[in-house]
Amino acid sequence: MVVVNPGAVAAFGATEAVASLQPIVWHEPRDSYDVVIVGGGGHGLATAYYLATRHGITNVAVVEADYIASGNTGRNTTIIRANYAIPEAIRFYDHSMKLYEGLEAETGAAIFHRKKGHVWLAHSEMGMRTERARVLMNQAMGVNTELLGPAGVKALVPQIDLTGGGRYPVFGASHHVEAATARHDRVAWAYASGATSRGVHVIQHRPVTGLLRDGPGGRVLGVQTAAGPIHAGIVLSAVGGRVSQLAAMARVRLPVRTHPLHAFVTNDFEQGLAKIVASTELACYVSQTERGQMLIGAEFDSQPSFSRLSSFDALRSYAYKITRLLPFLRSMRILRTWAGLCDISADFSPIMGETGVDGFLITTGWGTWGFKAIPAGGEALAERIATGRTPALIAPFGLDRFRNELAMADQASAGTR
Amino acid sequence: MTDGSISGSGGRIVVDGRPIEFAAGDSVAIAIMRSGKVPGGGGTLCLAGDCGNCLATVDGVAHVRTCEVEARPGTAVAGDPGHGKPPLPIVDGRDLTRTPIGRELGVRRIDVDIAVIGGGPSGLAAAAAAAAGGGNVLVLDADSGTEVVAIYPGRSIVAREPAGMLHVRADEIVVATGSAEIQPVCPGNDLAGIVTSGAAERLQAAGVGLGVAVAIGSPPSGVACTVLDGRLIRFEGDATGRLRSVVTTNTDGSEMTTACDTAIVGLGRAPRDVLARMTGDDAISLVGSVADEHPLPAAPTAGEICRCMGTTVDDLASAWDAGYTELELLKRASWAGLGPCQGGACLPHVRAFIAARTGTVPEPFTARPASRQITLAEAAADTTIDAFRRTPLHDEHLALGARMDRFGGWWRPWHYGDVVGEYWAVREGVSIGDVSTLGKLVVSGPDVVEALERIYPCHVADIKVGRSRYALLLNERGHVMDDGMILRTGESRFVLSFTSGGAANAEMWIRDWVDTWGLRVHVMDRTMSLAAINVTGPHAKELLARLGLAEPPRFLGHLEADIAGVPCHVMRLSFTGEAAFELHHPVDGSVTLWRALLDAGRDFGIRPHGLQALFGLRLEKGHVIVGMDTELDTTPHRLGMDWAVRMEKPAFIGKAALERTSRLPDTRRWVGFAMDGEAPPEGSPILGRDGDEIIGNVTGSWTSPLLGRALLLGWLKRTPFPDRVVINGREAVVTATPFYDREGLRARA
Amino acid sequence: MPALEPLVGRRVIGDPDALDAAIWSGRDVVVLRLAPDEAFGIGATAVELDDEHAIDESEAGFVGAVLSTADLADVIARVDWSLPSDPSALAQGKVAGVPAKLLIGDPSLLVTHAAYAGELADRLGWSS
Ligand SMILES: Cc1cc2nc3c(=O)[nH]c(=O)nc-3n(C[C@H](O)[C@H](O)[C@H](O)COP(=O)(O)OP(=O)(O)OC[C@H]3O[C@@H](n4cnc5c(N)ncnc54)[C@H](O)[C@@H]3O)c2cc1C
């Protein structure tokens, strides 16, 4: 008896993956901390990590409703890039990208960080105008992004159908050379491991149900949970798509709406798609994971909702769109689909820092684009908490910008994560 | 295993290039086993679609469970066992996606009262009961070729049929998918030659011999085998990965080794409830063994727990010890359950592993589509997006050699091959442009003046019948949403125009507000009923006179007139900077009118202009294009358009916000720039005078053929606003707009 | 193969009650009630209704195709929403992804904006 084609054992398998895990330490919770961070997603955990490592502040708890990275951090399509269109955003994301590049060395954790390059296709003159503007602004900010014609696109992505299925001809693209991907939950775990090993507490399965306040309108003094109150010198909300609910507990209203965003993966294939390929007009994108899956996403649902159920309308339109560009995907089978809840801000940029309520800070507006921002967002908020001063890097992204008519409008950059 | 004898050959399938015979009714997996081989890469076969151990590439589709595909003559199978990774598919030159609009696979759609998933005894009983109750019932059964992929919210079911896809909408769903057999987890469970009891029965029924067979746990019925009573310890095999013997416990606890060709395991069952758990809808019920309580297997101690991903029990324990101590973390850390069977095989064992450590049985991990996998092409079957509109002049443009492009949801001529020539035709002669895409509404009613006064920031009541006014449309925050003209056609009737693509939003906006205010106003969207041709240039008036317009309207006037026999609403305005007449007319007259204009203007050197020339022309006039020049929070003030806002009006949408924000410091401003040489690309950063800080960006840029310089529009976002900046390494001077014909004499001529 | 031909008539926006009672003149007028306050009288040359502010315009912006039973089945196969339960009601929604209206009867009529005619014909495989 012969086994049909015994497959080559993958070079990096489950055993290697497990061997590369860094331990997370679970502590017995206390009832008071200097800092309580609500939300154990990437932003909450990174803030805790940088508080501990950069500022020596370890009397910190991250309070998570479910398990860590159960929110968007464990659901995203893992694209890390800085090819935004406005200088403030480019500077911020470029810094985050650099922190990502050093994260494995800094934490010793394997996050499967891979530089790939992000090819952002345009299918019309107006699309090219957007990509050209992006390239010029990126280059002026020292970010390595180049403009490609159709032949340049074909050279980087040989599988592309330059006719876009006969419907979406490829006029060209911007190519952001430094763009990368990293395994999402491993980023959260790297921070959780680094933080908890220094004494930070991560408390799972403890939804925050209210805020403790020093009288109505007074300073926030901690959080309420089903298992009792936890007192805090400062509370940071880092709750992803649930931010309107948490902010409402502090009577803060935000220009943020929660919209579901879907994604799906195929089964594993040999490596063969080197680039992250995206299209603004089609609002879809794909990259190949370290396992060899094709990871595909598109635009968020236009209807706001808190549902994380998968949607067939999303699946079929994502599948339709991406196969216009890369017809080889047509015969690949879909392994799994899922959705996350995105905190979409009015101007498609993040909101970090003060809320107008003493003792209560936020990090939100991460929408469909905040995975790449985890290191820089966490680092900046840690600095804000530790020093009481808002770092220049994030100053343009304060909540007060809406009142002051200083929106950081960058919709064309948020479109494809 | 011995070769099964074939009674009634169904033909041959081709496995790794070699033909093998199959019997009618064989699945690909059974056909392979009949030939004496094993599909997939080893491990226990269930032949029921629950595990991921029989995967192969079938007819070019990778990762197919061969037990789920019927063998047909010529079916091509290439090995792609659990742990291997097939190469990316290669698409041949004849690209299917190029066929019209991508309808490659059909979809059948059915609405039913009750859908029953699973055609086993419990499913059929449920279907019969439902039908007896008068319901319209549909049974979806994989064995009959209908494979359910997923249940989505709203009780919509997606399934694959032999001929294409099936989309079902049901009021109620009964899930009767039965239960899956538990896979063994112990050393050697990755060997070839292990089958579940159910698989053994299926092989027996197909006439595939099992050789010397031993059974562990509950034995199959009707299959000749030696039943071992002891507990399973491990499987042992040879260097080829083939099972040779089974090691079990004796009653005294010692090990007993039994040689065999096939090991049959009957270790209990687990509910196949993935579909039922996908949406958590009250109208989804479970019947049959999917609804039963099934005990978990004993906690695993050694062996591969997840065959798909290669996770061993040791891996699970290491991950647990590193702190990944809950089901969802453990799954992601150890990879158990991440493979093609999505936990179908490993989940009961992982739960048992955790239960043994914590004393509580965790809930299964989240169930998500897809239950049966589909390809992207199958998911996208009969999907269409983006219906782009064509103006009635589409074919005229093509015949004139236009480069068509998509803009604002329409196909529009980008240019006709000579942008500068098109420009000069407007400036010096006469030209026509297709502006059919402009948004056009008719509003009428006793309260229409009141409504428009509240909607627009400019005065409306004083617009006389036959006159018009340019207007901005603001939102409640005082930010510019759109712009266009207000044309009065009667005491209580107006025509409103908007940017291309702006009409649908404008109609909603106006209807919403008039309803909110309780005003009596009718709104009709005429965007796709009327086409429009812009006749512009110094000879425009004369050209129109030749076609019957003896008395053209004055600047900002409008009137009804027949031109070349086509009834037109003639509007005199100007976006290009020259005299311009927009001829709005029924779409069925467009081609006549267009051709008549081209014919009559031949001696003026008439030629049509595309969008690119239009953008240059408007730039010389400094006219804003909402969307291209504006941002999310652009106020009229920032555009230098305070003149379009009448703060003395008692109320209009956005007024309160503008009152507040007018007191904020002036931080952003949209202005004109001029510089020598070629125009830098749109989107160029604007640097401060010393060239080291980015202080803005260019939104419009054009090398003016007339002025011989680069003219630009763009944002300054640093105060104090400079009067000289650096763009593209060159100095540019902030310059008042319009750059051309500042007094507007040409437009009024 | 069916073809999408230009339709002419009058389109009216007016008070719903007035539209209910409107009197349409013309030969073989088919009235599509597009909305409570909107109707399109295909083939209508004039309409009388009791609403002095009604917007009553001649309309040439639609095209339509007369469908045989077989054609209708093909068209319905490209509809991914539930048709109205009253079979004589005007169904409005996307057909093959293109905004359209479907009047089921004997014969049936498929209507769309002229601006979408090319796209719809392509998607239904009606373009030669
Ligand atoms: C499908 C998808 C694809 C994406 N792709 C990309 C991409 O390619 N690149 C990119 O940069 N970004 C991407 N994003 C966005 C990115 O995932 C998020 O912006 C980012 O992960 C946000 O991290 P976070 O820590 O703010 O939120 P989350 O990761 O959502 O964490 C918030 C946490 O707060 C917890 N929580 C909520 N309420 C409470 C409460 N009351 N008490 C306690 N805890 C609470 C939640 O359980 C959750 O764990 C994508 C998002 C999705 C959904």
Side-chain angles (χ1 to χ4, degrees):
Chain A
M1 190 201 67
V2 191
V3 173
V4 179
N5 251 10
V9 172
F12 192 93
T15 303
E16 291 75 11
V18 169
S20 72
L21 290 172
Q22 283 202 324
I24 300 175
V25 186
W26 305 104
H27 300 88
E28 204 46 53
R30 291 193 291 270
D31 55 13
S32 170
Y33 296 88
D34 292 342
V35 183
V36 164
I37 297 169
V38 189
H43 282 277
L45 293 167
T47 305
Y49 169 86
Y50 290 113
L51 278 171
T53 56
R54 304 281 199 269
H55 305 283
I57 299 176
T58 56
N59 186 19
V60 176
V62 177
V63 183
E64 165 57 45
D66 198 345
Y67 59 96
I68 55 171
S70 57
N72 292 351
T73 298
R75 293 162 191 272
N76 73 86
T77 45
T78 77
I79 299 169
I80 300 166
R81 55 182 180 81
N83 51 348
Y84 280 68
I86 58 174
E88 295 84 350
I90 297 169
R91 187 178 299 123
F92 174 78
Y93 291 113
D94 188 42
H95 179 63
S96 205
M97 203 160 74
K98 299 210 166 91
L99 289 178
Y100 258 123
E101 283 167 19
L103 197 58
E104 295 195 321
E106 176 175 337
T107 62
I111 61 164
F112 306 155
H113 184 270
R114 300 275 183 280
K115 275 202 190 182
K116 293 191 166 150
H118 182 252
V119 177
W120 213 335
L121 302 169
H123 313 281
S124 67
E125 292 290 350
M126 291 313 282
M128 275 311 272
R129 176 180 183 265
T130 303
E131 293 322 307
R132 204 175 292 118
R134 182 189 315 290
V135 166
L136 292 165
M137 198 54 97
N138 284 197
Q139 289 176 351
M141 294 293 295
V143 167
N144 189 359
T145 306
E146 59 188 5
L147 198 67
L148 302 176
V153 172
K154 189 82 186 167
L156 290 184
V157 188
Q159 300 97 337
I160 196 128
D161 175 0
L162 287 177
T163 76
R167 274 287 284 166
Y168 302 97
V170 174
F171 279 44
S174 66
H175 175 217
H176 176 42
V177 180
E178 309 297 321
T181 59
R183 174 73 197 172
H184 48 35
D185 38 28
R186 288 199 163 240
V187 170
W189 301 342
Y191 284 122
S193 169
T196 57
S197 67
R198 290 171 174 84
V200 168
H201 289 194
V202 174
I203 309 168
Q204 295 194 117
H205 303 290
R206 189 106 176 247
V208 166
T209 53
L211 295 174
L212 311 176
R213 295 192 76 164
D214 188 9
R219 188 180 172 85
V220 167
L221 301 173
V223 299
Q224 190 57 261
T225 75
I230 305 174
H231 296 273
I234 279 198
V235 173
L236 170 67
S237 161
V239 292
R242 296 272 167 201
V243 70
S244 323
Q245 296 163 341
L246 206 94
M249 297 173 192
R251 303 215 187 286
V252 171
R253 279 200 69 169
L254 301 170
V256 171
R257 272 189 201 162
T258 294
H259 293 258
L261 174 68
H262 305 269
F264 68 93
V265 280
T266 66
N267 295 302
D268 303 4
F269 287 82
E270 275 174 15
Q271 293 296 327
L273 181 67
K275 295 288 166 187
I276 306 162
V277 181
S279 155
T280 315
E281 182 177 343
L282 282 168
C284 64
Y285 56 98
V286 58
S287 69
Q288 191 170 17
T289 68
E290 75 284 354
R291 264 177 64 184
Q293 302 158 297
M294 296 296 162
L295 176 53
I296 296 165
E299 81 280 330
F300 59 81
D301 289 359
S302 55
Q303 177 74 28
S305 159
F306 286 99
S307 167
R308 289 199 302 209
L309 296 176
S310 285
S311 132
F312 186 61
D313 280 342
L315 178 66
R316 61 193 289 222
S317 78
Y318 292 20
Y320 172 83
K321 294 193 244 185
I322 202 75
T323 52
R324 299 312 94 182
L325 304 175
L326 295 169
F328 79 90
L329 295 168
R330 293 170 39 86
S331 66
M332 291 189 168
R333 282 191 162 190
I334 296 158
L335 174 72
R336 192 171 175 86
T337 70
W338 65 91
L341 301 179
C342 297
D343 38 343
I344 309 283
S345 54
D347 61 357
F348 296 83
S349 285
I351 304 172
M352 287 177 269
E354 254 91 306
T355 57
V357 173
D358 278 351
F360 183 63
L361 304 176
I362 43 166
T363 179
T364 183
W366 292 117
T368 64
W369 51 85
F371 175 69
K372 65 181 72 66
I374 286 171
E379 187 192 53
L381 279 156
E383 183 177 337
R384 165 62 190 78
I385 292 168
T387 66
R389 286 185 305 275
T390 302
L393 189 66
I394 63 164
F397 298 105
L399 177 58
D400 57 358
R401 73 175 182 270
F402 296 99
R403 188 175 315 134
N404 296 333
E405 299 271 87
L406 292 171
M408 289 286 124
D410 202 2
Q411 178 161 16
S413 303
T416 54
R417 307 329 130 211
Chain B
M1 281 175 218
T2 58
D3 291 6
S5 59
I6 300 191
S7 53
S9 169
R12 290 190 189 86
I13 62 172
V14 183
V15 180
D16 286 335
R18 274 190 303 250
I20 63 170
E21 299 264 329
F22 67 88
D26 276 1
S27 65
V28 168
I30 290 188
I32 291 172
M33 296 182 81
R34 189 184 296 287
S35 76
K37 299 179 183 173
V38 168
T44 310
L45 292 171
C46 68
L47 301 183
D50 295 309
C51 70
N53 294 344
C54 68
L55 298 186
T57 298
V58 179
D59 290 335
V61 178
H63 304 283
V64 170
R65 283 179 172 129
T66 50
C67 71
E68 287 175 349
V69 190
E70 195 186 333
R72 291 170 191 280
T75 301
V77 184
D80 131 48
H83 295 232
K85 292 180 187 181
L88 301 189
I90 293 170
V91 173
D92 63 19
R94 207 185 55 80
D95 177 4
L96 290 173
T97 63
R98 291 187 197 181
T99 53
I101 334 292
R103 197 195 177 214
E104 298 106 21
L105 249 181
V107 174
R108 205 158 67 90
R109 300 186 172 90
I110 307 181
D111 271 23
V112 293
D113 298 328
I114 300 162
V116 177
I117 304 174
S122 61
L124 293 180
N136 165 5
V137 186
L138 177 71
V139 178
L140 303 161
D141 183 45
D143 288 343
S144 323
T146 309
E147 301 174 86
V148 174
V149 174
I151 301 176
Y152 288 97
R155 293 182 297 285
S156 73
I157 301 173
V158 173
R160 175 178 40 221
E161 305 185 294
M165 298 300 289
L166 174 67
H167 297 177
V168 180
R169 248 275 321 142
D171 289 340
E172 267 176 58
I173 298 176
V174 179
V175 175
T177 40
S179 51
E181 293 178 272
I182 301 274
Q183 299 251 327
V185 176
C186 64
N189 64 346
D190 55 344
L191 295 167
I194 314 168
V195 296
T196 62
S197 289
E201 287 166 11
R202 273 182 277 280
L203 289 166
Q204 170 89 7
V208 179
L210 300 174
V212 177
V214 299
I216 306 124
S218 47
S221 60
V223 179
C225 58
T226 310
V227 179
L228 306 174
D229 326 309
R231 192 168 52 78
L232 174 64
I233 297 178
R234 65 178 177 275
F235 299 105
E236 289 176 345
D238 61 20
T240 66
R242 161 89 177 83
L243 175 75
R244 287 290 166 218
S245 55
V246 179
V247 181
T248 50
T249 50
N250 275 317
T251 36
D252 62 358
S254 63
E255 292 187 359
M256 177 175 89
T257 302
T258 314
C260 60
D261 297 316
T262 302
I264 304 169
V265 288
L267 301 177
R269 311 188 72 91
R272 243 185 231 138
D273 59 357
V274 172
L275 284 170
R277 290 195 289 114
M278 272 177 198
T279 50
D281 186 313
D282 288 345
I284 300 177
S285 55
L286 296 107
V287 299
S289 79
V290 66
D292 295 343
E293 286 286 333
H294 297 272
L296 287 180
T301 52
E304 231 178 20
I305 195 164
C306 173
R307 286 285 298 129
C308 296
M309 300 303 294
T311 309
T312 64
V313 179
D314 284 349
D315 294 334
L316 218 54
S318 304
W320 184 272
D321 293 343
Y324 299 79
T325 48
E326 75 152 80
L327 186 67
E328 296 284 355
L329 288 180
L330 190 60
K331 165 186 163 184
R332 287 165 176 78
S334 72
W335 295 11
L338 301 184
C341 86
Q342 287 288 288
C346 70
L347 181 57
H349 298 288
V350 178
R351 293 173 74 198
F353 173 94
I354 294 174
R357 278 164 178 74
T358 63
T360 10
V361 179
E363 288 294 308
F365 39 67
T366 325
R368 294 199 188 283
S371 156
R372 293 264 169 141
Q373 295 191 348
I374 49 172
T375 62
L376 271 81
E378 286 165 338
D382 194 31
T383 298
T384 43
I385 57 167
D386 291 346
F388 289 106
R389 291 176 281 183
R390 300 175 200 174
T391 78
L393 296 168
H394 193 82
D395 291 341
E396 299 298 300
H397 302 317
L398 291 176
L400 290 163
R403 251 279 318 286
M404 302 300 284
D405 198 9
R406 295 186 310 271
F407 187 89
W410 292 84
W411 283 105
R412 302 192 66 178
W414 188 248
H415 59 63
Y416 298 84
D418 176 8
V419 176
V420 172
E422 294 162 31
Y423 165 89
W424 280 120
V426 175
R427 284 277 177 264
E428 300 280 291
V430 63
S431 173
I432 52 177
D434 181 359
V435 291
S436 302
T437 60
L438 287 171
K440 311 169 207 78
L441 300 187
V442 177
V443 289
S444 143
D447 301 328
V448 71
V449 173
E450 174 68 21
L452 297 182
E453 284 286 3
R454 295 196 206 175
I455 283 167
Y456 286 105
C458 62
H459 290 296
V460 177
D462 64 344
I463 302 173
K464 296 198 175 61
V465 175
R467 301 293 297 164
S468 66
R469 180 165 291 154
Y470 172 83
L472 293 172
L473 196 66
L474 307 181
N475 64 17
E476 298 95 318
R477 305 198 63 198
H479 299 155
V480 175
M481 290 202 305
D482 205 346
D483 68 345
M485 300 299 294
I486 304 173
L487 304 103
R488 192 163 198 168
T489 53
E491 276 316 310
S492 56
R493 191 178 188 280
F494 292 79
V495 169
L496 311 174
S497 71
F498 303 91
T499 54
S500 302
N505 186 53
E507 187 195 352
M508 280 196 298
W509 184 251
I510 294 174
R511 281 182 181 274
D512 189 2
W513 281 110
V514 297
D515 273 3
T516 303
W517 294 322
L519 296 179
R520 288 161 301 159
V521 177
H522 292 312
V523 183
M524 182 188 272
D525 184 356
R526 300 283 283 159
T527 304
M528 287 189 272
S529 306
L530 300 176
I533 298 173
N534 186 23
V535 184
T536 180
H539 296 307
K541 209 185 285 183
E542 208 178 325
L543 173 63
L544 291 173
R546 290 181 184 179
L547 292 173
L549 183 68
E551 300 261 331
R554 287 187 297 126
F555 189 61
L556 296 182
H558 59 100
L559 49 79
E560 304 277 343
D562 277 7
I563 296 179
V566 176
C568 292
H569 186 191
V570 183
M571 310 174 181
R572 173 108 193 242
L573 37 94
S574 182
F575 191 57
T576 60
E578 305 300 332
F581 298 84
E582 263 178 31
L583 313 180
H584 291 228
H585 58 276
V587 293
D588 57 355
S590 267
V591 172
T592 308
L593 183 58
W594 178 265
R595 289 185 183 172
L597 288 162
L598 285 179
D599 274 351
R602 197 150 287 159
D603 57 323
F604 294 133
I606 191 169
R607 58 197 296 173
H609 60 271
L611 274 178
Q612 217 181 339
L614 187 65
F615 291 160
L617 290 157
R618 72 93 194 192
L619 201 147
E620 293 179 354
K621 291 299 294 178
H623 291 314
V624 67
I625 298 181
V626 176
M628 279 171 70
D629 299 307
T630 57
E631 303 187 328
L632 179 85
D633 59 352
T634 297
T635 55
H637 180 68
R638 286 181 171 178
L639 293 174
M641 294 177 73
D642 286 324
W643 53 266
V645 178
R646 295 306 188 138
M647 292 302 282
E648 73 275 12
K649 288 199 346 173
F652 60 86
I653 297 168
K655 184 180 176 198
L658 290 179
E659 271 168 354
R660 183 186 76 81
T661 58
S662 67
R663 294 191 291 272
L664 291 172
D666 224 359
T667 45
R668 295 181 179 180
R669 189 176 280 179
W670 185 70
V671 297
F673 306 85
M675 62 196 280
D676 291 333
E678 284 290 304
E682 290 186 0
S684 293
I686 298 176
L687 306 183
R689 204 167 169 190
D690 32 14
D692 54 5
E693 197 200 358
I694 299 176
I695 60 167
N697 61 291
V698 174
T699 62
S701 181
W702 167 252
T703 313
S704 169
L706 185 75
L707 304 177
R709 326 185 54 197
L711 306 178
L712 303 92
L713 297 168
W715 285 97
L716 293 177
K717 297 186 174 177
R718 290 285 182 285
T719 49
F721 297 119
D723 46 23
R724 278 161 202 278
V725 297
V726 173
I727 303 173
N728 218 10
R730 288 176 284 155
E731 188 181 72
V733 179
V734 175
T735 306
T737 58
F739 299 102
Y740 168 74
D741 184 25
R742 195 158 302 235
E743 291 73 39
L745 299 177
R746 295 182 69 91
R748 288 181 171 79
Chain C
M1 203 182 289
L4 290 162
E5 305 286 356
L7 301 174
V8 287
R10 297 206 74 83
R11 185 155 64 101
V12 184
I13 297 261
D15 290 335
D17 293 343
L19 271 180
D20 286 346
I23 299 163
W24 300 83
S25 29
R27 281 189 48 195
D28 302 329
V29 177
V30 176
V31 179
L32 304 184
R33 189 66 174 260
L34 304 178
D37 68 346
E38 181 172 16
F40 175 32
I42 301 171
T45 50
V47 58
E48 263 176 69
L49 75 163
D50 182 19
D51 176 357
E52 57 169 318
H53 294 286
I55 305 172
D56 167 17
E57 298 279 342
S58 92
E59 179 60 69
F62 290 93
V63 292
V66 175
L67 306 177
S68 68
T69 318
D71 299 333
L72 178 67
D74 288 346
V75 167
I76 289 179
R78 306 300 300 283
V79 169
D80 62 6
W81 35 278
S82 301
L83 292 168
S85 47
D86 170 4
S88 65
L90 178 68
Q92 305 191 77
K94 285 185 175 174
V95 172
V98 180
K101 305 162 196 309
L102 196 53
L103 190 66
I104 297 174
D106 190 19
S108 300
L109 187 63
L110 175 67
V111 176
T112 189
H113 287 282
Y116 287 122
E119 187 89 59
L120 184 57
D122 284 354
R123 293 184 183 197
L124 291 173
W126 291 355
S127 318
S128 40

